[in-house]
Amino acid sequence: MSQTETNNNQKESKQPDHLPMLESMAELEAALESILFAAGYPMKYTKLSEVLGLSVPDIKRLLEHMLPAYNDESSHRGIQLLLLPETAQLCTKERFAPYIREALGVRRGGNLSASSMEVLAVVAYNQPVTRTFIDSVRGVDSSYAVNSLLDKGLIEAVGRLDVVGRPMLYATTDKFLRVFGINSLAELPATEALSVAAQVESEKAEAETAEEIAEANQSTEATEA
């Protein structure tokens, strides 16, 4: 987005009258940085659009232009910029967490249990999923871990599967992305969770096929008799 396009878009948008118009792309990016830093929580693109008098797509383009300065491996900043589907946020980089805790006197705690992490991995890589699917992959009942993740806001119910019983479907939330410092599910590292889930589905399909063959054979035998 060029400077001329930025100014034109700002003039055409409804920016609050009491706020002065920012004259350059650098000023707009600085304003975005200031807002996100001061907020400390995810800011909606629609709110940023309203304040700065730009369209949501233009706000996203400005933030994407800022992204390398924070997130590239060569960046020496201690904070990173997260661009989520509906919001943006500035947060500290994970590797500096021990220093932050020490400086602020924050006690370590609140970590997820191993079972919760397992459930979260299954959901993240296979979503949306039912609790039965999660139990099948893990081989144990996952009710407590699922409820714990729901309470923490890391997963949410997103609908029901259109089968008998209409079981609830679960998926990860924007909070999950923020907690793990990623912008989208595409940034998740490779894991064996996918292959395990695929194996479960494959075994299920094979069992159903075997059952169908057995029923067909029984039907044939009955006819011949």
Side-chain angles (χ1 to χ4, degrees):
M1 180 172 58
S2 68
Q3 184 58 55
T4 301
E5 290 174 328
T6 299
N7 290 338
N8 289 339
N9 289 339
Q10 233 183 336
K11 290 174 183 176
E12 293 171 1
S13 302
K14 294 181 179 180
Q15 183 183 21
D17 294 335
H18 61 280
L19 292 177
M21 184 180 293
L22 299 173
E23 297 295 335
S24 70
M25 186 171 169
E27 284 186 315
L28 285 166
E29 290 185 357
L32 283 170
E33 180 183 52
S34 299
I35 294 168
L36 295 178
F37 177 81
Y41 57 84
M43 288 291 299
K44 289 184 176 294
Y45 298 124
T46 50
K47 184 62 177 179
L48 296 171
S49 168
E50 175 188 329
V51 171
L52 297 179
L54 293 172
S55 68
V56 169
D58 284 339
I59 290 293
K60 288 184 176 181
R61 278 193 285 270
L62 282 170
L63 289 168
E64 287 168 359
H65 184 261
M66 296 164 61
L67 206 59
Y70 293 97
N71 296 7
D72 276 4
E73 292 184 5
S74 58
S75 171
H76 298 295
R77 293 177 184 266
I79 53 179
Q80 62 181 329
L81 176 59
L82 297 181
L83 303 184
L84 306 172
E86 303 296 331
T87 60
Q89 181 181 14
L90 282 176
C91 60
T92 57
K93 292 181 177 176
E94 184 180 2
R95 66 178 180 273
F96 300 120
Y99 305 97
I100 296 170
R101 285 196 294 267
E102 184 68 23
L104 302 182
V106 177
R107 301 179 101 188
R108 190 180 185 92
N111 292 337
L112 294 175
S113 65
S115 60
S116 291
M117 285 297 293
E118 287 178 3
V119 170
L120 198 53
V122 174
V123 175
Y125 284 92
N126 301 279
Q127 59 189 299
V129 296
T130 63
R131 208 198 76 198
T132 300
F133 178 86
I134 298 170
D135 292 346
S136 297
V137 173
R138 298 186 64 234
V140 295
D141 183 84
S142 304
S143 302
Y144 180 82
V146 168
N147 290 332
S148 176
L149 293 171
L150 286 169
D151 290 341
K152 289 179 170 63
L154 295 174
I155 65 173
E156 62 182 350
V158 294
R160 292 183 178 277
L161 189 62
D162 191 17
V163 296
V164 177
R166 294 181 58 77
M168 193 71 71
L169 289 166
Y170 299 101
T172 54
T173 62
D174 282 354
K175 183 177 180 180
F176 163 79
L177 298 177
R178 297 198 304 274
V179 167
F180 286 89
I182 57 177
N183 293 300
S184 71
L185 295 173
E187 295 181 17
L188 287 171
T191 177
E192 293 182 3
L194 280 175
S195 60
V196 171
Q199 181 181 347
V200 170
E201 287 299 292
S202 176
E203 290 174 352
K204 180 180 177 182
E206 289 176 1
E208 291 175 349
T209 301
E211 185 177 345
E212 290 174 356
I213 292 173
E215 290 177 354
N217 289 337
Q218 288 176 359
S219 177
T220 302
E221 290 173 357
T223 302
E224 291 176 350

PDB file of all heavy atoms in Angstrom, residues 166-193:
ATOM      1  N   ARG A 166     -25.695 -37.025  17.796  1.00  0.00           N
ATOM      2  CA  ARG A 166     -25.186 -35.665  17.543  1.00  0.00           C
ATOM      3  C   ARG A 166     -24.144 -35.231  18.584  1.00  0.00           C
ATOM      4  O   ARG A 166     -24.355 -34.283  19.344  1.00  0.00           O
ATOM      5  CB  ARG A 166     -26.341 -34.668  17.506  1.00  0.00           C
ATOM      6  CG  ARG A 166     -27.283 -34.878  16.336  1.00  0.00           C
ATOM      7  CD  ARG A 166     -28.395 -33.860  16.303  1.00  0.00           C
ATOM      8  NE  ARG A 166     -27.906 -32.500  16.241  1.00  0.00           N
ATOM      9  CZ  ARG A 166     -27.424 -31.904  15.140  1.00  0.00           C
ATOM     10  NH1 ARG A 166     -27.363 -32.598  14.006  1.00  0.00           N
ATOM     11  NH2 ARG A 166     -27.022 -30.668  15.176  1.00  0.00           N
ATOM     12  N   PRO A 167     -22.991 -35.932  18.628  1.00  0.00           N
ATOM     13  CA  PRO A 167     -21.947 -35.566  19.597  1.00  0.00           C
ATOM     14  C   PRO A 167     -21.357 -34.193  19.306  1.00  0.00           C
ATOM     15  O   PRO A 167     -21.333 -33.734  18.169  1.00  0.00           O
ATOM     16  CB  PRO A 167     -20.892 -36.671  19.412  1.00  0.00           C
ATOM     17  CG  PRO A 167     -21.090 -37.119  18.000  1.00  0.00           C
ATOM     18  CD  PRO A 167     -22.573 -37.042  17.762  1.00  0.00           C
ATOM     19  N   MET A 168     -20.890 -33.535  20.364  1.00  0.00           N
ATOM     20  CA  MET A 168     -20.308 -32.200  20.255  1.00  0.00           C
ATOM     21  C   MET A 168     -18.964 -32.250  19.533  1.00  0.00           C
ATOM     22  O   MET A 168     -18.183 -33.186  19.704  1.00  0.00           O
ATOM     23  CB  MET A 168     -20.105 -31.600  21.647  1.00  0.00           C
ATOM     24  CG  MET A 168     -19.805 -30.122  21.657  1.00  0.00           C
ATOM     25  SD  MET A 168     -21.242 -29.133  21.200  1.00  0.00           S
ATOM     26  CE  MET A 168     -22.275 -29.339  22.655  1.00  0.00           C
ATOM     27  N   LEU A 169     -18.715 -31.235  18.712  1.00  0.00           N
ATOM     28  CA  LEU A 169     -17.436 -31.087  18.022  1.00  0.00           C
ATOM     29  C   LEU A 169     -16.611 -30.012  18.712  1.00  0.00           C
ATOM     30  O   LEU A 169     -17.142 -28.959  19.085  1.00  0.00           O
ATOM     31  CB  LEU A 169     -17.661 -30.710  16.557  1.00  0.00           C
ATOM     32  CG  LEU A 169     -18.235 -31.800  15.646  1.00  0.00           C
ATOM     33  CD1 LEU A 169     -18.716 -31.195  14.337  1.00  0.00           C
ATOM     34  CD2 LEU A 169     -17.180 -32.871  15.376  1.00  0.00           C
ATOM     35  N   TYR A 170     -15.312 -30.272  18.854  1.00  0.00           N
ATOM     36  CA  TYR A 170     -14.422 -29.324  19.529  1.00  0.00           C
ATOM     37  C   TYR A 170     -13.309 -28.850  18.596  1.00  0.00           C
ATOM     38  O   TYR A 170     -12.830 -29.602  17.742  1.00  0.00           O
ATOM     39  CB  TYR A 170     -13.804 -29.971  20.773  1.00  0.00           C
ATOM     40  CG  TYR A 170     -14.825 -30.392  21.799  1.00  0.00           C
ATOM     41  CD1 TYR A 170     -15.212 -31.729  21.907  1.00  0.00           C
ATOM     42  CD2 TYR A 170     -15.417 -29.459  22.643  1.00  0.00           C
ATOM     43  CE1 TYR A 170     -16.173 -32.120  22.839  1.00  0.00           C
ATOM     44  CE2 TYR A 170     -16.372 -29.839  23.576  1.00  0.00           C
ATOM     45  CZ  TYR A 170     -16.743 -31.166  23.670  1.00  0.00           C
ATOM     46  OH  TYR A 170     -17.689 -31.550  24.581  1.00  0.00           O
ATOM     47  N   ALA A 171     -12.900 -27.595  18.790  1.00  0.00           N
ATOM     48  CA  ALA A 171     -11.795 -27.012  18.021  1.00  0.00           C
ATOM     49  C   ALA A 171     -11.022 -26.063  18.922  1.00  0.00           C
ATOM     50  O   ALA A 171     -11.513 -25.674  19.996  1.00  0.00           O
ATOM     51  CB  ALA A 171     -12.334 -26.269  16.792  1.00  0.00           C
ATOM     52  N   THR A 172      -9.819 -25.703  18.516  1.00  0.00           N
ATOM     53  CA  THR A 172      -9.019 -24.763  19.301  1.00  0.00           C
ATOM     54  C   THR A 172      -9.528 -23.334  19.109  1.00  0.00           C
ATOM     55  O   THR A 172     -10.250 -23.040  18.153  1.00  0.00           O
ATOM     56  CB  THR A 172      -7.536 -24.829  18.895  1.00  0.00           C
ATOM     57  OG1 THR A 172      -7.427 -24.631  17.482  1.00  0.00           O
ATOM     58  CG2 THR A 172      -6.930 -26.169  19.258  1.00  0.00           C
ATOM     59  N   THR A 173      -9.130 -22.451  19.997  1.00  0.00           N
ATOM     60  CA  THR A 173      -9.573 -21.058  19.983  1.00  0.00           C
ATOM     61  C   THR A 173      -8.422 -20.119  19.613  1.00  0.00           C
ATOM     62  O   THR A 173      -7.259 -20.541  19.504  1.00  0.00           O
ATOM     63  CB  THR A 173     -10.086 -20.648  21.367  1.00  0.00           C
ATOM     64  OG1 THR A 173      -8.984 -20.759  22.310  1.00  0.00           O
ATOM     65  CG2 THR A 173     -11.214 -21.569  21.822  1.00  0.00           C
ATOM     66  N   ASP A 174      -8.746 -18.838  19.455  1.00  0.00           N
ATOM     67  CA  ASP A 174      -7.701 -17.836  19.239  1.00  0.00           C
ATOM     68  C   ASP A 174      -6.767 -17.761  20.444  1.00  0.00           C
ATOM     69  O   ASP A 174      -5.575 -17.482  20.296  1.00  0.00           O
ATOM     70  CB  ASP A 174      -8.327 -16.453  19.003  1.00  0.00           C
ATOM     71  CG  ASP A 174      -8.866 -16.303  17.591  1.00  0.00           C
ATOM     72  OD1 ASP A 174      -8.658 -17.228  16.770  1.00  0.00           O
ATOM     73  OD2 ASP A 174      -9.495 -15.267  17.298  1.00  0.00           O
ATOM     74  N   LYS A 175      -7.306 -18.017  21.628  1.00  0.00           N
ATOM     75  CA  LYS A 175      -6.462 -18.003  22.829  1.00  0.00           C
ATOM     76  C   LYS A 175      -5.391 -19.077  22.732  1.00  0.00           C
ATOM     77  O   LYS A 175      -4.249 -18.867  23.169  1.00  0.00           O
ATOM     78  CB  LYS A 175      -7.309 -18.219  24.085  1.00  0.00           C
ATOM     79  CG  LYS A 175      -6.492 -18.152  25.377  1.00  0.00           C
ATOM     80  CD  LYS A 175      -7.363 -18.304  26.611  1.00  0.00           C
ATOM     81  CE  LYS A 175      -6.500 -18.232  27.880  1.00  0.00           C
ATOM     82  NZ  LYS A 175      -7.331 -18.385  29.109  1.00  0.00           N
ATOM     83  N   PHE A 176      -5.733 -20.227  22.166  1.00  0.00           N
ATOM     84  CA  PHE A 176      -4.748 -21.290  21.963  1.00  0.00           C
ATOM     85  C   PHE A 176      -3.586 -20.782  21.112  1.00  0.00           C
ATOM     86  O   PHE A 176      -2.421 -21.020  21.422  1.00  0.00           O
ATOM     87  CB  PHE A 176      -5.422 -22.482  21.278  1.00  0.00           C
ATOM     88  CG  PHE A 176      -4.465 -23.464  20.648  1.00  0.00           C
ATOM     89  CD1 PHE A 176      -3.794 -24.388  21.423  1.00  0.00           C
ATOM     90  CD2 PHE A 176      -4.232 -23.445  19.284  1.00  0.00           C
ATOM     91  CE1 PHE A 176      -2.899 -25.293  20.848  1.00  0.00           C
ATOM     92  CE2 PHE A 176      -3.346 -24.340  18.697  1.00  0.00           C
ATOM     93  CZ  PHE A 176      -2.683 -25.263  19.484  1.00  0.00           C
ATOM     94  N   LEU A 177      -3.903 -20.063  20.021  1.00  0.00           N
ATOM     95  CA  LEU A 177      -2.854 -19.515  19.157  1.00  0.00           C
ATOM     96  C   LEU A 177      -1.981 -18.536  19.929  1.00  0.00           C
ATOM     97  O   LEU A 177      -0.754 -18.548  19.807  1.00  0.00           O
ATOM     98  CB  LEU A 177      -3.481 -18.819  17.948  1.00  0.00           C
ATOM     99  CG  LEU A 177      -4.308 -19.694  16.993  1.00  0.00           C
ATOM    100  CD1 LEU A 177      -4.920 -18.839  15.891  1.00  0.00           C
ATOM    101  CD2 LEU A 177      -3.455 -20.803  16.392  1.00  0.00           C
ATOM    102  N   ARG A 178      -2.615 -17.670  20.729  1.00  0.00           N
ATOM    103  CA  ARG A 178      -1.854 -16.665  21.483  1.00  0.00           C
ATOM    104  C   ARG A 178      -0.943 -17.320  22.510  1.00  0.00           C
ATOM    105  O   ARG A 178       0.219 -16.947  22.653  1.00  0.00           O
ATOM    106  CB  ARG A 178      -2.808 -15.692  22.182  1.00  0.00           C
ATOM    107  CG  ARG A 178      -3.670 -14.862  21.247  1.00  0.00           C
ATOM    108  CD  ARG A 178      -4.237 -13.651  21.964  1.00  0.00           C
ATOM    109  NE  ARG A 178      -4.995 -13.991  23.145  1.00  0.00           N
ATOM    110  CZ  ARG A 178      -6.287 -14.316  23.161  1.00  0.00           C
ATOM    111  NH1 ARG A 178      -6.956 -14.363  22.014  1.00  0.00           N
ATOM    112  NH2 ARG A 178      -6.909 -14.582  24.295  1.00  0.00           N
ATOM    113  N   VAL A 179      -1.487 -18.296  23.238  1.00  0.00           N
ATOM    114  CA  VAL A 179      -0.717 -18.965  24.295  1.00  0.00           C
ATOM    115  C   VAL A 179       0.521 -19.646  23.723  1.00  0.00           C
ATOM    116  O   VAL A 179       1.596 -19.627  24.325  1.00  0.00           O
ATOM    117  CB  VAL A 179      -1.609 -19.989  25.041  1.00  0.00           C
ATOM    118  CG1 VAL A 179      -0.759 -20.906  25.914  1.00  0.00           C
ATOM    119  CG2 VAL A 179      -2.647 -19.269  25.883  1.00  0.00           C
ATOM    120  N   PHE A 180       0.382 -20.218  22.532  1.00  0.00           N
ATOM    121  CA  PHE A 180       1.505 -20.936  21.927  1.00  0.00           C
ATOM    122  C   PHE A 180       2.292 -20.075  20.948  1.00  0.00           C
ATOM    123  O   PHE A 180       3.209 -20.562  20.285  1.00  0.00           O
ATOM    124  CB  PHE A 180       1.005 -22.214  21.256  1.00  0.00           C
ATOM    125  CG  PHE A 180       0.633 -23.282  22.240  1.00  0.00           C
ATOM    126  CD1 PHE A 180      -0.656 -23.344  22.758  1.00  0.00           C
ATOM    127  CD2 PHE A 180       1.564 -24.193  22.701  1.00  0.00           C
ATOM    128  CE1 PHE A 180      -1.008 -24.306  23.697  1.00  0.00           C
ATOM    129  CE2 PHE A 180       1.233 -25.161  23.629  1.00  0.00           C
ATOM    130  CZ  PHE A 180      -0.060 -25.217  24.137  1.00  0.00           C
ATOM    131  N   GLY A 181       1.951 -18.789  20.863  1.00  0.00           N
ATOM    132  CA  GLY A 181       2.741 -17.837  20.090  1.00  0.00           C
ATOM    133  C   GLY A 181       2.768 -18.095  18.595  1.00  0.00           C
ATOM    134  O   GLY A 181       3.809 -17.908  17.955  1.00  0.00           O
ATOM    135  N   ILE A 182       1.636 -18.512  18.024  1.00  0.00           N
ATOM    136  CA  ILE A 182       1.579 -18.739  16.581  1.00  0.00           C
ATOM    137  C   ILE A 182       0.419 -17.942  15.991  1.00  0.00           C
ATOM    138  O   ILE A 182      -0.531 -17.588  16.690  1.00  0.00           O
ATOM    139  CB  ILE A 182       1.417 -20.234  16.232  1.00  0.00           C
ATOM    140  CG1 ILE A 182       0.164 -20.829  16.907  1.00  0.00           C
ATOM    141  CG2 ILE A 182       2.657 -21.009  16.624  1.00  0.00           C
ATOM    142  CD1 ILE A 182      -0.088 -22.271  16.552  1.00  0.00           C
ATOM    143  N   ASN A 183       0.526 -17.637  14.703  1.00  0.00           N
ATOM    144  CA  ASN A 183      -0.500 -16.837  14.040  1.00  0.00           C
ATOM    145  C   ASN A 183      -1.633 -17.677  13.467  1.00  0.00           C
ATOM    146  O   ASN A 183      -2.744 -17.187  13.301  1.00  0.00           O
ATOM    147  CB  ASN A 183       0.131 -16.021  12.905  1.00  0.00           C
ATOM    148  CG  ASN A 183       1.076 -14.958  13.427  1.00  0.00           C
ATOM    149  OD1 ASN A 183       0.674 -14.074  14.174  1.00  0.00           O
ATOM    150  ND2 ASN A 183       2.343 -15.053  13.049  1.00  0.00           N
ATOM    151  N   SER A 184      -1.347 -18.930  13.136  1.00  0.00           N
ATOM    152  CA  SER A 184      -2.368 -19.793  12.557  1.00  0.00           C
ATOM    153  C   SER A 184      -2.000 -21.251  12.790  1.00  0.00           C
ATOM    154  O   SER A 184      -0.851 -21.576  13.142  1.00  0.00           O
ATOM    155  CB  SER A 184      -2.517 -19.529  11.060  1.00  0.00           C
ATOM    156  OG  SER A 184      -1.385 -20.009  10.359  1.00  0.00           O
ATOM    157  N   LEU A 185      -2.952 -22.134  12.560  1.00  0.00           N
ATOM    158  CA  LEU A 185      -2.706 -23.565  12.739  1.00  0.00           C
ATOM    159  C   LEU A 185      -1.678 -24.093  11.748  1.00  0.00           C
ATOM    160  O   LEU A 185      -1.049 -25.125  11.986  1.00  0.00           O
ATOM    161  CB  LEU A 185      -4.017 -24.341  12.576  1.00  0.00           C
ATOM    162  CG  LEU A 185      -5.091 -24.050  13.640  1.00  0.00           C
ATOM    163  CD1 LEU A 185      -6.393 -24.745  13.276  1.00  0.00           C
ATOM    164  CD2 LEU A 185      -4.614 -24.484  15.021  1.00  0.00           C
ATOM    165  N   ALA A 186      -1.491 -23.369  10.635  1.00  0.00           N
ATOM    166  CA  ALA A 186      -0.512 -23.785   9.632  1.00  0.00           C
ATOM    167  C   ALA A 186       0.906 -23.750  10.188  1.00  0.00           C
ATOM    168  O   ALA A 186       1.812 -24.397   9.652  1.00  0.00           O
ATOM    169  CB  ALA A 186      -0.612 -22.893   8.399  1.00  0.00           C
ATOM    170  N   GLU A 187       1.123 -23.007  11.268  1.00  0.00           N
ATOM    171  CA  GLU A 187       2.456 -22.898  11.866  1.00  0.00           C
ATOM    172  C   GLU A 187       2.743 -23.987  12.898  1.00  0.00           C
ATOM    173  O   GLU A 187       3.824 -24.025  13.477  1.00  0.00           O
ATOM    174  CB  GLU A 187       2.621 -21.522  12.519  1.00  0.00           C
ATOM    175  CG  GLU A 187       2.580 -20.364  11.529  1.00  0.00           C
ATOM    176  CD  GLU A 187       2.769 -19.018  12.196  1.00  0.00           C
ATOM    177  OE1 GLU A 187       3.249 -18.989  13.361  1.00  0.00           O
ATOM    178  OE2 GLU A 187       2.433 -17.994  11.590  1.00  0.00           O
ATOM    179  N   LEU A 188       1.775 -24.860  13.131  1.00  0.00           N
ATOM    180  CA  LEU A 188       2.012 -25.957  14.074  1.00  0.00           C
ATOM    181  C   LEU A 188       3.120 -26.863  13.551  1.00  0.00           C
ATOM    182  O   LEU A 188       3.153 -27.177  12.362  1.00  0.00           O
ATOM    183  CB  LEU A 188       0.737 -26.778  14.269  1.00  0.00           C
ATOM    184  CG  LEU A 188      -0.379 -26.146  15.097  1.00  0.00           C
ATOM    185  CD1 LEU A 188      -1.640 -27.002  15.003  1.00  0.00           C
ATOM    186  CD2 LEU A 188       0.049 -25.986  16.548  1.00  0.00           C
ATOM    187  N   PRO A 189       4.013 -27.299  14.417  1.00  0.00           N
ATOM    188  CA  PRO A 189       5.090 -28.202  13.970  1.00  0.00           C
ATOM    189  C   PRO A 189       4.548 -29.575  13.623  1.00  0.00           C
ATOM    190  O   PRO A 189       3.453 -29.957  14.044  1.00  0.00           O
ATOM    191  CB  PRO A 189       6.015 -28.270  15.202  1.00  0.00           C
ATOM    192  CG  PRO A 189       5.101 -28.003  16.357  1.00  0.00           C
ATOM    193  CD  PRO A 189       4.107 -26.986  15.856  1.00  0.00           C
ATOM    194  N   ALA A 190       5.323 -30.325  12.843  1.00  0.00           N
ATOM    195  CA  ALA A 190       4.928 -31.684  12.481  1.00  0.00           C
ATOM    196  C   ALA A 190       4.868 -32.535  13.742  1.00  0.00           C
ATOM    197  O   ALA A 190       5.640 -32.354  14.674  1.00  0.00           O
ATOM    198  CB  ALA A 190       5.930 -32.273  11.497  1.00  0.00           C
ATOM    199  N   THR A 191       3.930 -33.469  13.783  1.00  0.00           N
ATOM    200  CA  THR A 191       3.773 -34.306  14.965  1.00  0.00           C
ATOM    201  C   THR A 191       3.221 -35.663  14.571  1.00  0.00           C
ATOM    202  O   THR A 191       2.597 -35.819  13.523  1.00  0.00           O
ATOM    203  CB  THR A 191       2.828 -33.660  15.991  1.00  0.00           C
ATOM    204  OG1 THR A 191       2.651 -34.546  17.107  1.00  0.00           O
ATOM    205  CG2 THR A 191       1.475 -33.376  15.386  1.00  0.00           C
ATOM    206  N   GLU A 192       3.425 -36.637  15.454  1.00  0.00           N
ATOM    207  CA  GLU A 192       2.903 -37.978  15.206  1.00  0.00           C
ATOM    208  C   GLU A 192       1.414 -38.061  15.499  1.00  0.00           C
ATOM    209  O   GLU A 192       0.779 -39.071  15.203  1.00  0.00           O
ATOM    210  CB  GLU A 192       3.647 -38.995  16.074  1.00  0.00           C
ATOM    211  CG  GLU A 192       5.114 -39.163  15.680  1.00  0.00           C
ATOM    212  CD  GLU A 192       5.795 -40.220  16.531  1.00  0.00           C
ATOM    213  OE1 GLU A 192       5.105 -40.824  17.356  1.00  0.00           O
ATOM    214  OE2 GLU A 192       6.997 -40.431  16.364  1.00  0.00           O
ATOM    215  N   ALA A 193       0.839 -36.999  16.087  1.00  0.00           N
ATOM    216  CA  ALA A 193      -0.589 -37.036  16.417  1.00  0.00           C
ATOM    217  C   ALA A 193      -1.425 -37.286  15.182  1.00  0.00           C
ATOM    218  O   ALA A 193      -2.436 -37.986  15.224  1.00  0.00           O
ATOM    219  CB  ALA A 193      -1.010 -35.718  17.066  1.00  0.00           C
TER     220      ALA A 193
END
